[in-house]
Amino acid sequence: MNRISHWIDGSVVEGSSGRSGMVFNPATGEQAASVDFASVAEVDAAVAAAKAAFPEWRATGLGRRAEVMFHLRELIDANRKEIASLLTAEHGKVLSDALGEVARGLENVEFACGIAHLLKGGYSEQAASSVDVYSIRQPLGVVAGITPFNFPAMVPMWMFANALACGNTFVLKPSEKDPSASLLMAELLATAGLPGGCFNVVQGDKVAVDRLLEHPDVQAVSFVGSTPIARYIYETGTRNGKRVQALGGAKNHMLVLPDADLDMAADAAVSAGYGSAGERCMAISVVLAVDTIADELVAKIAERIPAVKVGPGNEPDNEMGPLITGEHRDKVAGYVEGASEEGATVVVDGRDGAPSEGFFLMPTLLDHVQPGSKAYDDEIFGPVLSVTRVGSYDEGLELINSNPYGNGTAIFTRDGGAARQFQWDVAVGMVGVNVPIPVPVSYYSFGGWKSSLFGDTHMYGPEGINFYTRGKVVTSRWPDPHTSRVDLGFPETR
Ligand code: NAD
């Protein structure tokens, strides 16, 4: 049985806690590996390695730090397929989707290649007589990343590329469900020239997370995962004096106005609802269809579903793979049962026709899903698309804005004025106009509103640079020494 361990101070370190978890191949349902779970002492060793590496890495010139990122960029590019295969093997997503994940993660490494430009401060000459003022941004020290199962390569790249380029050292605690990609990225970082100790991986569960949250040498924590855990991470980390950004779950609505191109809207709903088996925080979960076009739109979505090719992710033609575990598949299937009990119509029932082995559920379409029912209220995180019918734009907007989550949303319309009004009105962090999955490019920042993000800073892009650095302002005077005198007055600039 393949054993997946930690990466501490530049090499693989086998766990000695005696605790481990199972890693499955979701396409077969078989256990494929075991993953070591870190003890407190093992987390402490990783943090100690990161702390020891910090002074030298911080002092490494910007040109050299950028060079390491450029090398990493080339290595990830050259190893796209290998990384994607690992994602498919442990997560289950189809290869084309896994390659997309690597590409979107790589964007963040490319952004970090520009670190010299990103860390420029401001300078004001002669703010007062012979006084100049300038601002600089300095790294924090050891920072930690805690990541979810659904993007085992991209989400760590959201974090460590900018964190390292800014001069921090990093401890990653990946999801225990698909931990291998983190070790491959550690190897690539080492090959790219990152000194040992700058990037460490501790595999594990709550024990490792809690130790990172309380460790006095961890300065900041980036988290991506479900809302209850995000809230816990934010509250615990900030109580312990750390800087925290904690991104949580989602319930993303797509509002389809009567003037929309309904074929385009149906294509988008199917792509964004069932891509990655719905296990994306930016997946469309609810289609809000204005009454007059609802029947036609539901029919167009339903007619596309049989064409979605479902099967093992490593078979090239497949478009949708299995769910992450059997337990999760059963939970998602339970929503289909529950929805019909709560008055929804099951238009396409994904419990029928799934491959017999593995954690599969076929694409499911629910209509007439009512706010207040579990299928509407909960983040299902599976291939279940709900249609909720609304009388107007205002009614749809009200549903989106009263939802506790605010990660992503999309409007489908041909009316530019309506789209602009939506952008103005909607209480959601990432908005698509005829774009169903509006994940920002790496030179903007990613983050939701309300229960989808705890903390003030969105992830990656310019806000990521701010998160991983502290500002400092220097006020300096260079007078001739003989002009110096004692002056107890408060310094004025005029
Ligand atoms: P999760 O919250 O169960 O786990 C995330 C991380 O937290 C993992 O590393 C896990 O080991 C750790 N963890 C789990 N339980 C813990 C506990 N009790 N104490 C301390 N640590 C704990 O999330 P998941 O199931 O891996 O991922 C799916 C969730 O992530 C969904 O809710 C999805 O919407 C969300 N997500 C959000 C974004 C975003 O950007 N907002 C992106 C991806 C995923």
Side-chain angles (χ1 to χ4, degrees):
M1 177 78 54
N2 184 20
R3 178 174 172 187
I4 301 160
S5 302
H6 316 299
W7 178 277
I8 299 174
D9 207 8
S11 57
V12 171
V13 174
E14 288 203 346
S16 55
S17 71
R19 295 188 317 118
S20 62
M22 290 193 283
V23 178
F24 291 94
N25 175 350
T28 62
E30 311 259 301
Q31 185 182 352
S34 77
V35 55
D36 293 337
F37 281 1
S39 62
V40 166
E42 285 162 327
V43 174
D44 287 356
V47 174
K51 188 181 180 189
F54 176 62
E56 196 182 323
W57 180 240
R58 179 196 171 191
T60 301
L62 284 169
R64 173 63 189 150
R65 279 191 252 149
E67 187 177 41
V68 171
M69 287 297 137
F70 274 107
H71 284 162
L72 179 65
R73 194 244 161 245
E74 294 305 301
L75 288 166
I76 292 173
D77 186 37
N79 286 278
R80 276 171 200 261
K81 285 196 181 134
E82 195 185 342
I83 303 171
S85 304
L86 272 184
L87 304 182
T88 296
E90 291 182 357
H91 174 281
K93 61 178 70 180
V94 297
L95 268 174
S96 54
D97 189 30
L99 283 165
E101 168 175 353
V102 177
R104 292 306 304 267
L106 185 55
E107 279 183 14
N108 294 278
V109 179
E110 289 167 348
F111 180 76
C113 289
I115 193 63
H117 183 64
L118 295 166
L119 283 184
K120 279 180 185 164
Y123 194 99
S124 301
E125 188 185 46
Q126 197 73 352
S129 177
S130 301
V131 172
D132 303 328
V133 180
Y134 52 97
S135 63
I136 52 184
R137 297 204 70 87
Q138 298 186 332
L140 306 177
V142 179
V143 300
I146 301 160
T147 53
F149 79 81
N150 66 326
F151 285 107
M154 181 182 79
V155 170
M157 283 190 258
W158 284 2
M159 301 173 180
F160 72 68
N162 288 329
L164 291 170
C166 286
N168 301 283
T169 54
F170 202 89
V171 179
L172 173 66
K173 204 305 279 175
S175 170
E176 66 278 25
K177 298 193 176 94
D178 40 21
S180 290
S182 59
L183 291 183
L184 179 52
M185 289 188 288
E187 274 174 39
L188 297 180
L189 276 160
T191 311
L194 188 74
C198 290
F199 182 78
N200 305 275
V201 180
V202 286
Q203 310 289 0
D205 58 358
K206 185 170 167 55
V207 171
V209 171
D210 284 346
R211 183 57 185 153
L212 288 170
L213 289 176
E214 71 188 16
H215 199 299
D217 291 332
V218 173
Q219 305 300 326
V221 176
S222 297
F223 172 88
V224 175
S226 60
T227 286
I229 310 299
R231 184 181 281 115
Y232 168 76
I233 300 282
Y234 183 75
E235 289 175 356
T236 312
T238 52
R239 194 168 54 243
N240 289 332
K242 300 183 194 321
R243 187 179 282 200
V244 182
Q245 50 178 188
L247 277 60
K251 188 80 188 181
N252 305 316
H253 294 63
M254 167 173 157
L255 175 59
V256 184
L257 298 189
D259 69 342
D261 178 329
L262 294 189
D263 284 306
M264 183 185 174
D267 285 342
V270 170
S271 308
Y274 306 125
S276 206
E279 290 175 328
R280 290 180 182 144
C281 67
M282 291 293 276
I284 291 295
S285 180
V286 179
V287 174
L288 296 174
V290 173
D291 279 332
T292 49
I293 48 97
D295 285 343
E296 194 183 346
L297 183 61
V298 169
K300 283 180 184 292
I301 294 173
E303 82 192 15
R304 284 162 169 76
I305 289 176
V308 176
K309 295 194 187 73
V310 180
N314 57 3
E315 291 174 15
D317 285 349
N318 288 335
E319 297 169 302
M320 193 187 109
L323 294 166
I324 185 73
T325 59
E327 190 188 359
H328 185 55
R329 187 262 322 273
D330 295 345
K331 184 175 170 210
V332 174
Y335 281 102
V336 187
E337 183 70 36
S340 60
E341 284 163 13
E342 289 193 274
T345 311
V346 182
V347 182
V348 179
D349 191 335
R351 293 170 299 177
D352 300 333
S356 55
E357 57 172 22
F359 307 139
F360 287 93
L361 185 69
M362 303 297 279
T364 297
L365 181 62
L366 307 175
D367 193 6
H368 300 285
V369 176
Q370 296 302 318
S373 67
K374 279 183 76 60
Y376 182 86
D377 289 350
D378 292 3
E379 180 185 34
I380 298 177
F381 222 57
V384 177
L385 191 60
S386 298
V387 175
T388 297
R389 294 166 179 239
V390 292
S392 62
Y393 165 90
D394 288 334
E395 199 184 315
L397 180 74
E398 170 58 25
L399 280 177
I400 298 171
N401 284 354
S402 58
N403 197 276
Y405 297 105
N407 212 42
T409 189
I411 187 167
F412 277 70
T413 179
R414 288 186 172 104
D415 179 342
R420 188 172 186 290
Q421 191 62 43
F422 184 71
Q423 157 202 317
W424 177 260
D425 288 333
V426 79
V428 171
M430 292 170 284
V431 180
V433 176
N434 299 319
V435 172
I437 306 186
V439 175
V441 288
S442 63
Y443 38 99
Y444 285 79
S445 298
F446 182 109
W449 287 14
K450 301 190 276 185
S451 294
S452 295
L453 184 142
F454 301 86
D456 305 311
T457 319
H458 289 196
M459 204 159 278
Y460 71 72
E463 294 201 34
I465 299 294
N466 280 345
F467 182 78
Y468 291 122
T469 53
R470 255 189 297 241
K472 194 180 263 182
V473 177
V474 181
T475 303
S476 76
R477 167 178 281 145
W478 289 104
D480 290 339
H482 71 268
T483 63
S484 174
R485 65 185 168 86
V486 173
D487 179 355
L488 272 63
F490 194 65
E492 293 181 27
T493 55
R494 293 180 210 190

